[in-house]
Amino acid sequence: MATQLQIARTGTISDEVKLVAKAEGIDSEVIRDEIAAGRLVIPANKLHLNTNLKPIGIGRILTTKVNANIGTSSVRSSIEAEIEKMQAALAVGADAIMDLSTGGNLDKTRTTLISQCPAPFGTVPIYQVIEGRNVEDIDHKAILDCFQKQAKQGVDFFTVHAGVLKEYLPLLAKRVMGIVSRGGALLAKWMLYHNKQNPLYEMFDDLCGIMAEYDVCFSLGDGLRPGAIADATDEAQMAELRTLGELTERAKEKGCQVMVEGPGHVPFDQIQYNIQIQQKICRGAPFYVLGPLVTDIAPGYDHITSAIGGTAAAFYGASFLCYVTPREHLGLPDADDVRAGVIAAKIAAHAADVARGLKGAAERDKKLSIARSNLDWKTHLSESLDPETAERMHREACEKANGGLKPTLQSDYCSMCGQQWCSVRINKEIRETISR
Ligand code: SF4
């Protein structure tokens, strides 16, 4: 009943390590070694593994992974809508799903989603701890019971905001946005009310016991992440990061797998520093970043602001990107928003993997480019990141082309330039002439 970390430390290669090694084209022993060093995790609750989980690895030597957040809110909740969102996310390549539900029947929503989720599934248990009670009323027993319950339901990773310490709260006074993490804000309220330390920090060893029992991976939450670029890399954020470094070591000593969460809103020029300082303080533990969003001024387009930051973050050292949808800051996303968010994050992750020179990444681009160059529309569209959208756009453009020749899947041009102006077609002719 050991965790992936404990198994790896004994020198044994688990079945899950073999699966990850095969999927990534990397030797199993290298994967095992990275897990043992705490630089790679396989979030795989033993109970989810027994049902439908297909394990993945998250770590620097692997392809960059993408998470999609879904979940009900207190003003809009429907299990069917969340299933639709999860399926939309998985269909376009989300590697993991987090259920951040705060409305409706939380247990039923979670267990229904897990039963249909082959990807690692994460939650923020503290959200459910306050269900039906005021945050001031939560106690250690309620927290432990909730962690135990969700672990038994098969959740693969928990966000735990244990690094938000009472002494860091005065550092927030100068901030533009204060605390934007829901978990961080709730815990801050509890600490101020009781004038006591963060209960998640106080009971961290007990939480480790539950996490290790089921091999639920820690995702150490950044409750003080900046919610505006003006707040980025401030003393509150750095103080919490140092505590997350301490907690990373404590959790690993207890045999738990650990990822560490990161910002947030960060100007482009501060991303490299943010990633490198995390990797140093947390000794290479996989870094899971939300965005980062590189500007605050684009509500409606925050999947783009976060993809710009996501590429930089993954290039400099992050292993796991949490998507952001176009609806960020504006409302609860629907399935179309989820789809747009996952695609944007997948582009960010792949662009970083190409720039990092990861095996097979640039080959994918080359395959598509060769098809494009040969005017092989079928391969061009099917090899794209989102074939459905690419095929639809091409078809619509063909249908709208008026007069003269209409482009089709067999055409040596498209409606963008027209046949006489198609540089790809002309290049094809030039190539054929040269090679004669
Ligand atoms: S017509 Fe223009 S856009 Fe279309 S394939 Fe040719 S060069 Fe590319």
Side-chain angles (χ1 to χ4, degrees):
M1 294 298 283
T3 66
Q4 293 292 336
L5 176 60
Q6 290 164 331
I7 296 168
R9 280 174 175 163
T10 67
T12 306
I13 291 174
S14 68
D15 290 343
E16 293 70 37
V17 165
K18 285 181 199 158
L19 286 171
V20 170
K22 192 168 172 219
E24 304 271 351
I26 296 176
D27 189 78
S28 295
E29 182 54 31
V30 176
I31 304 280
R32 185 209 60 75
D33 198 48
E34 287 291 293
I35 295 175
R39 294 189 295 263
L40 196 155
V41 295
I42 300 180
N45 184 313
K46 291 165 186 180
L47 300 178
H48 197 190
L49 264 182
N50 285 343
T51 55
N52 57 348
L53 177 64
K54 293 192 177 77
I56 61 154
I58 298 168
R60 201 53 193 147
I61 63 165
L62 309 179
T63 51
T64 306
K65 303 302 186 300
V66 166
N67 172 73
N69 288 339
I70 58 168
T72 60
S73 81
S74 55
V75 293
R76 229 178 87 194
S77 68
S78 147
I79 295 179
E80 291 70 33
E82 296 314 315
I83 293 171
E84 188 192 356
K85 284 191 226 171
M86 182 173 78
Q87 287 171 344
L90 294 171
V92 286
D95 300 291
I97 298 288
M98 281 195 84
D99 172 22
L100 307 185
S101 290
T102 54
N105 185 329
L106 301 187
D107 285 313
K108 190 165 178 219
T109 304
R110 188 180 316 111
T111 52
T112 305
L113 289 170
I114 293 176
S115 70
Q116 298 181 36
C117 187
F121 191 92
T123 62
V124 188
I126 199 74
Y127 291 176
Q128 191 172 26
V129 177
I130 63 156
E131 188 193 22
R133 53 167 80 86
N134 293 321
V135 65
E136 298 85 349
D137 298 334
I138 66 174
D139 56 22
H140 287 210
K141 183 178 178 314
I143 293 171
L144 281 177
D145 288 349
C146 187
F147 272 66
Q148 187 82 40
K149 177 172 71 175
Q150 294 201 13
K152 268 191 187 164
Q153 289 170 340
V155 177
D156 301 294
F157 58 104
F158 285 159
T159 290
V160 182
H161 300 99
V164 184
L165 300 191
K166 189 160 80 69
E167 52 271 36
Y168 303 155
L169 301 183
L171 300 173
L172 299 165
K174 285 186 256 158
R175 275 195 169 182
V176 172
M177 284 294 294
I179 305 178
V180 294
S181 151
R182 291 191 286 197
L186 291 166
L187 288 160
K189 192 173 172 193
W190 187 95
M191 287 185 266
L192 291 174
Y193 181 84
H194 292 285
N195 195 24
K196 282 186 182 166
Q197 190 53 280
N198 181 342
L200 297 180
Y201 182 80
E202 295 284 292
M203 57 198 299
F204 193 72
D205 289 346
D206 293 335
L207 298 180
C208 287
I210 296 171
M211 308 287 273
E213 186 182 347
Y214 297 87
D215 200 3
V216 180
C217 181
F218 270 105
S219 187
L220 289 174
D222 53 338
L224 301 183
R225 69 171 175 267
I229 60 169
D231 296 338
T233 329
D234 70 353
E235 186 43 37
Q237 185 196 328
M238 291 298 120
E240 182 187 29
L241 179 59
R242 287 189 289 276
T243 302
L244 296 183
E246 170 211 322
L247 295 172
T248 299
E249 291 310 300
R250 277 173 59 187
K252 285 194 299 187
E253 276 166 27
K254 302 268 179 195
C256 300
Q257 300 193 84
V258 186
M259 301 185 277
V260 178
E261 295 183 12
H265 289 240
V266 182
F268 194 86
D269 60 300
Q270 293 179 29
I271 292 175
Q272 181 177 7
Y273 174 77
N274 266 267
I275 304 296
Q276 289 173 347
I277 192 77
Q278 182 276 349
Q279 289 285 277
K280 189 171 171 209
I281 290 174
C282 301
R283 300 198 189 174
F287 201 16
Y288 174 24
V289 293
L290 176 67
L293 291 82
V294 293
T295 176
D296 305 338
I297 64 163
Y301 299 91
D302 275 334
H303 57 318
I304 297 174
T305 60
S306 68
I308 293 168
T311 297
F315 180 70
Y316 288 119
S319 302
F320 195 20
L321 304 182
C322 185
Y323 86 156
V324 172
T325 79
R327 195 85 55 174
E328 182 78 7
H329 304 109
L330 303 173
L332 192 69
D334 60 20
D336 285 342
D337 300 323
V338 165
R339 202 166 190 281
V342 172
I343 290 290
K346 292 290 286 185
I347 294 169
H350 178 72
D353 289 349
V354 169
R356 294 200 287 140
L358 276 198
K359 200 170 122 193
E363 281 72 12
R364 200 170 159 195
D365 295 71
K366 195 169 177 186
K367 192 172 178 189
L368 188 144
S369 290
I370 289 171
R372 183 178 279 159
S373 163
N374 288 332
L375 288 160
D376 170 1
W377 289 101
K378 202 161 165 262
T379 311
H380 178 180
L381 302 176
S382 66
E383 287 298 315
S384 66
L385 202 58
D386 180 4
E388 198 183 314
T389 299
E391 192 280 326
R392 176 182 55 76
M393 286 187 170
H394 181 254
R395 180 168 29 81
E396 286 171 0
C398 289
E399 286 163 7
K400 280 182 191 156
N402 49 29
L405 291 169
K406 271 201 173 189
T408 67
L409 269 184
Q410 281 76 45
S411 297
D412 56 357
Y413 68 104
C414 77
S415 65
M416 173 76 189
C417 319
Q419 192 177 34
Q420 294 311 313
W421 294 88
C422 177
S423 59
V424 176
R425 181 186 64 76
I426 296 167
N427 264 292
K428 209 174 155 201
E429 282 176 11
I430 293 170
R431 266 206 317 272
E432 282 161 6
T433 305
I434 294 169
S435 63
R436 264 184 218 136

PDB file of all heavy atoms in Angstrom, residues 60 62-65 314-315 348-359 361-362:
ATOM      1  N   ARG A  60       9.367  17.793 -15.147  1.00  0.00           N
ATOM      2  CA  ARG A  60      10.144  18.597 -16.084  1.00  0.00           C
ATOM      3  C   ARG A  60      10.658  17.821 -17.281  1.00  0.00           C
ATOM      4  O   ARG A  60      10.847  18.384 -18.351  1.00  0.00           O
ATOM      5  CB  ARG A  60      11.312  19.202 -15.291  1.00  0.00           C
ATOM      6  CG  ARG A  60      11.910  20.403 -15.897  1.00  0.00           C
ATOM      7  CD  ARG A  60      10.892  21.473 -16.206  1.00  0.00           C
ATOM      8  NE  ARG A  60      11.486  22.482 -17.077  1.00  0.00           N
ATOM      9  CZ  ARG A  60      10.830  23.156 -18.003  1.00  0.00           C
ATOM     10  NH1 ARG A  60       9.548  22.949 -18.192  1.00  0.00           N
ATOM     11  NH2 ARG A  60      11.430  24.052 -18.745  1.00  0.00           N
ATOM     12  N   LEU A  62       9.138  15.561 -18.853  1.00  0.00           N
ATOM     13  CA  LEU A  62       8.005  15.088 -19.659  1.00  0.00           C
ATOM     14  C   LEU A  62       7.382  16.236 -20.441  1.00  0.00           C
ATOM     15  O   LEU A  62       7.696  17.404 -20.208  1.00  0.00           O
ATOM     16  CB  LEU A  62       6.944  14.468 -18.740  1.00  0.00           C
ATOM     17  CG  LEU A  62       7.428  13.408 -17.753  1.00  0.00           C
ATOM     18  CD1 LEU A  62       6.260  12.916 -16.901  1.00  0.00           C
ATOM     19  CD2 LEU A  62       8.077  12.242 -18.476  1.00  0.00           C
ATOM     20  N   THR A  63       6.453  15.892 -21.346  1.00  0.00           N
ATOM     21  CA  THR A  63       5.712  16.934 -22.047  1.00  0.00           C
ATOM     22  C   THR A  63       4.926  17.754 -21.020  1.00  0.00           C
ATOM     23  O   THR A  63       4.497  17.235 -19.978  1.00  0.00           O
ATOM     24  CB  THR A  63       4.721  16.319 -23.047  1.00  0.00           C
ATOM     25  OG1 THR A  63       3.941  15.345 -22.366  1.00  0.00           O
ATOM     26  CG2 THR A  63       5.437  15.691 -24.225  1.00  0.00           C
ATOM     27  N   THR A  64       4.724  19.018 -21.322  1.00  0.00           N
ATOM     28  CA  THR A  64       3.988  19.901 -20.420  1.00  0.00           C
ATOM     29  C   THR A  64       2.518  19.499 -20.421  1.00  0.00           C
ATOM     30  O   THR A  64       1.917  19.325 -21.475  1.00  0.00           O
ATOM     31  CB  THR A  64       4.132  21.366 -20.888  1.00  0.00           C
ATOM     32  OG1 THR A  64       5.526  21.656 -21.015  1.00  0.00           O
ATOM     33  CG2 THR A  64       3.492  22.339 -19.909  1.00  0.00           C
ATOM     34  N   LYS A  65       1.950  19.353 -19.249  1.00  0.00           N
ATOM     35  CA  LYS A  65       0.560  18.916 -19.128  1.00  0.00           C
ATOM     36  C   LYS A  65      -0.374  20.114 -18.867  1.00  0.00           C
ATOM     37  O   LYS A  65       0.066  21.161 -18.385  1.00  0.00           O
ATOM     38  CB  LYS A  65       0.422  17.900 -17.979  1.00  0.00           C
ATOM     39  CG  LYS A  65       1.328  16.665 -18.141  1.00  0.00           C
ATOM     40  CD  LYS A  65       1.072  15.926 -19.422  1.00  0.00           C
ATOM     41  CE  LYS A  65       1.849  14.625 -19.559  1.00  0.00           C
ATOM     42  NZ  LYS A  65       3.299  14.772 -19.523  1.00  0.00           N
ATOM     43  N   ALA A 314       6.305  27.439 -18.930  1.00  0.00           N
ATOM     44  CA  ALA A 314       6.706  26.063 -19.250  1.00  0.00           C
ATOM     45  C   ALA A 314       8.105  26.032 -19.843  1.00  0.00           C
ATOM     46  O   ALA A 314       8.850  25.071 -19.637  1.00  0.00           O
ATOM     47  CB  ALA A 314       5.692  25.447 -20.220  1.00  0.00           C
ATOM     48  N   PHE A 315       8.466  27.062 -20.554  1.00  0.00           N
ATOM     49  CA  PHE A 315       9.823  27.103 -21.114  1.00  0.00           C
ATOM     50  C   PHE A 315      10.854  27.208 -19.983  1.00  0.00           C
ATOM     51  O   PHE A 315      11.878  26.546 -19.995  1.00  0.00           O
ATOM     52  CB  PHE A 315       9.961  28.292 -22.076  1.00  0.00           C
ATOM     53  CG  PHE A 315      11.319  28.415 -22.684  1.00  0.00           C
ATOM     54  CD1 PHE A 315      11.760  27.480 -23.613  1.00  0.00           C
ATOM     55  CD2 PHE A 315      12.177  29.446 -22.327  1.00  0.00           C
ATOM     56  CE1 PHE A 315      13.036  27.571 -24.174  1.00  0.00           C
ATOM     57  CE2 PHE A 315      13.444  29.545 -22.877  1.00  0.00           C
ATOM     58  CZ  PHE A 315      13.870  28.606 -23.807  1.00  0.00           C
ATOM     59  N   ALA A 348       0.001  26.741 -25.749  1.00  0.00           N
ATOM     60  CA  ALA A 348       1.081  27.264 -24.891  1.00  0.00           C
ATOM     61  C   ALA A 348       2.046  26.145 -24.502  1.00  0.00           C
ATOM     62  O   ALA A 348       3.275  26.302 -24.570  1.00  0.00           O
ATOM     63  CB  ALA A 348       0.485  27.902 -23.637  1.00  0.00           C
ATOM     64  N   ALA A 349       1.490  25.005 -24.092  1.00  0.00           N
ATOM     65  CA  ALA A 349       2.323  23.879 -23.642  1.00  0.00           C
ATOM     66  C   ALA A 349       3.166  23.335 -24.793  1.00  0.00           C
ATOM     67  O   ALA A 349       4.372  23.094 -24.647  1.00  0.00           O
ATOM     68  CB  ALA A 349       1.420  22.776 -23.077  1.00  0.00           C
ATOM     69  N   HIS A 350       2.538  23.182 -25.951  1.00  0.00           N
ATOM     70  CA  HIS A 350       3.273  22.614 -27.087  1.00  0.00           C
ATOM     71  C   HIS A 350       4.362  23.572 -27.570  1.00  0.00           C
ATOM     72  O   HIS A 350       5.478  23.147 -27.892  1.00  0.00           O
ATOM     73  CB  HIS A 350       2.303  22.277 -28.225  1.00  0.00           C
ATOM     74  CG  HIS A 350       3.001  21.736 -29.431  1.00  0.00           C
ATOM     75  ND1 HIS A 350       3.557  20.471 -29.463  1.00  0.00           N
ATOM     76  CD2 HIS A 350       3.285  22.300 -30.630  1.00  0.00           C
ATOM     77  CE1 HIS A 350       4.129  20.274 -30.638  1.00  0.00           C
ATOM     78  NE2 HIS A 350       3.983  21.367 -31.363  1.00  0.00           N
ATOM     79  N   ALA A 351       4.045  24.865 -27.610  1.00  0.00           N
ATOM     80  CA  ALA A 351       5.047  25.847 -28.044  1.00  0.00           C
ATOM     81  C   ALA A 351       6.276  25.781 -27.131  1.00  0.00           C
ATOM     82  O   ALA A 351       7.420  25.856 -27.599  1.00  0.00           O
ATOM     83  CB  ALA A 351       4.444  27.248 -28.022  1.00  0.00           C
ATOM     84  N   ALA A 352       6.041  25.611 -25.828  1.00  0.00           N
ATOM     85  CA  ALA A 352       7.167  25.507 -24.893  1.00  0.00           C
ATOM     86  C   ALA A 352       7.919  24.194 -25.119  1.00  0.00           C
ATOM     87  O   ALA A 352       9.159  24.171 -25.086  1.00  0.00           O
ATOM     88  CB  ALA A 352       6.658  25.580 -23.453  1.00  0.00           C
ATOM     89  N   ASP A 353       7.192  23.115 -25.364  1.00  0.00           N
ATOM     90  CA  ASP A 353       7.857  21.817 -25.582  1.00  0.00           C
ATOM     91  C   ASP A 353       8.738  21.851 -26.835  1.00  0.00           C
ATOM     92  O   ASP A 353       9.826  21.265 -26.851  1.00  0.00           O
ATOM     93  CB  ASP A 353       6.807  20.697 -25.699  1.00  0.00           C
ATOM     94  CG  ASP A 353       6.135  20.405 -24.358  1.00  0.00           C
ATOM     95  OD1 ASP A 353       6.618  20.912 -23.326  1.00  0.00           O
ATOM     96  OD2 ASP A 353       5.131  19.660 -24.347  1.00  0.00           O
ATOM     97  N   VAL A 354       8.267  22.553 -27.874  1.00  0.00           N
ATOM     98  CA  VAL A 354       9.084  22.699 -29.086  1.00  0.00           C
ATOM     99  C   VAL A 354      10.348  23.476 -28.744  1.00  0.00           C
ATOM    100  O   VAL A 354      11.467  23.067 -29.074  1.00  0.00           O
ATOM    101  CB  VAL A 354       8.287  23.430 -30.202  1.00  0.00           C
ATOM    102  CG1 VAL A 354       9.211  23.819 -31.357  1.00  0.00           C
ATOM    103  CG2 VAL A 354       7.140  22.554 -30.713  1.00  0.00           C
ATOM    104  N   ALA A 355      10.171  24.595 -28.038  1.00  0.00           N
ATOM    105  CA  ALA A 355      11.322  25.447 -27.699  1.00  0.00           C
ATOM    106  C   ALA A 355      12.304  24.731 -26.766  1.00  0.00           C
ATOM    107  O   ALA A 355      13.500  24.992 -26.798  1.00  0.00           O
ATOM    108  CB  ALA A 355      10.827  26.736 -27.038  1.00  0.00           C
ATOM    109  N   ARG A 356      11.787  23.801 -25.957  1.00  0.00           N
ATOM    110  CA  ARG A 356      12.663  23.036 -25.054  1.00  0.00           C
ATOM    111  C   ARG A 356      13.367  21.893 -25.776  1.00  0.00           C
ATOM    112  O   ARG A 356      14.172  21.173 -25.179  1.00  0.00           O
ATOM    113  CB  ARG A 356      11.845  22.447 -23.892  1.00  0.00           C
ATOM    114  CG  ARG A 356      11.264  23.485 -22.971  1.00  0.00           C
ATOM    115  CD  ARG A 356      10.899  22.876 -21.633  1.00  0.00           C
ATOM    116  NE  ARG A 356       9.735  22.031 -21.668  1.00  0.00           N
ATOM    117  CZ  ARG A 356       9.619  20.883 -20.995  1.00  0.00           C
ATOM    118  NH1 ARG A 356      10.611  20.441 -20.251  1.00  0.00           N
ATOM    119  NH2 ARG A 356       8.510  20.177 -21.060  1.00  0.00           N
ATOM    120  N   GLY A 357      12.966  21.660 -27.031  1.00  0.00           N
ATOM    121  CA  GLY A 357      13.581  20.578 -27.801  1.00  0.00           C
ATOM    122  C   GLY A 357      13.148  19.199 -27.341  1.00  0.00           C
ATOM    123  O   GLY A 357      13.889  18.221 -27.483  1.00  0.00           O
ATOM    124  N   LEU A 358      11.926  19.095 -26.788  1.00  0.00           N
ATOM    125  CA  LEU A 358      11.457  17.787 -26.325  1.00  0.00           C
ATOM    126  C   LEU A 358      11.266  16.838 -27.501  1.00  0.00           C
ATOM    127  O   LEU A 358      10.757  17.243 -28.552  1.00  0.00           O
ATOM    128  CB  LEU A 358      10.126  17.921 -25.583  1.00  0.00           C
ATOM    129  CG  LEU A 358      10.147  18.298 -24.119  1.00  0.00           C
ATOM    130  CD1 LEU A 358       8.818  17.958 -23.468  1.00  0.00           C
ATOM    131  CD2 LEU A 358      11.262  17.621 -23.357  1.00  0.00           C
ATOM    132  N   LYS A 359      11.652  15.597 -27.268  1.00  0.00           N
ATOM    133  CA  LYS A 359      11.572  14.576 -28.324  1.00  0.00           C
ATOM    134  C   LYS A 359      10.165  14.516 -28.930  1.00  0.00           C
ATOM    135  O   LYS A 359       9.178  14.403 -28.209  1.00  0.00           O
ATOM    136  CB  LYS A 359      11.904  13.225 -27.675  1.00  0.00           C
ATOM    137  CG  LYS A 359      12.325  12.168 -28.660  1.00  0.00           C
ATOM    138  CD  LYS A 359      12.870  10.976 -27.891  1.00  0.00           C
ATOM    139  CE  LYS A 359      12.111   9.723 -28.224  1.00  0.00           C
ATOM    140  NZ  LYS A 359      12.384   8.634 -27.313  1.00  0.00           N
ATOM    141  N   ALA A 361       8.291  16.746 -30.297  1.00  0.00           N
ATOM    142  CA  ALA A 361       7.438  17.945 -30.318  1.00  0.00           C
ATOM    143  C   ALA A 361       7.499  18.645 -31.676  1.00  0.00           C
ATOM    144  O   ALA A 361       6.480  18.826 -32.342  1.00  0.00           O
ATOM    145  CB  ALA A 361       7.840  18.891 -29.196  1.00  0.00           C
ATOM    146  N   ALA A 362       8.711  19.005 -32.127  1.00  0.00           N
ATOM    147  CA  ALA A 362       8.834  19.733 -33.400  1.00  0.00           C
ATOM    148  C   ALA A 362       8.476  18.843 -34.590  1.00  0.00           C
ATOM    149  O   ALA A 362       8.061  19.341 -35.638  1.00  0.00           O
ATOM    150  CB  ALA A 362      10.244  20.287 -33.545  1.00  0.00           C
TER     151      ALA A 362
END
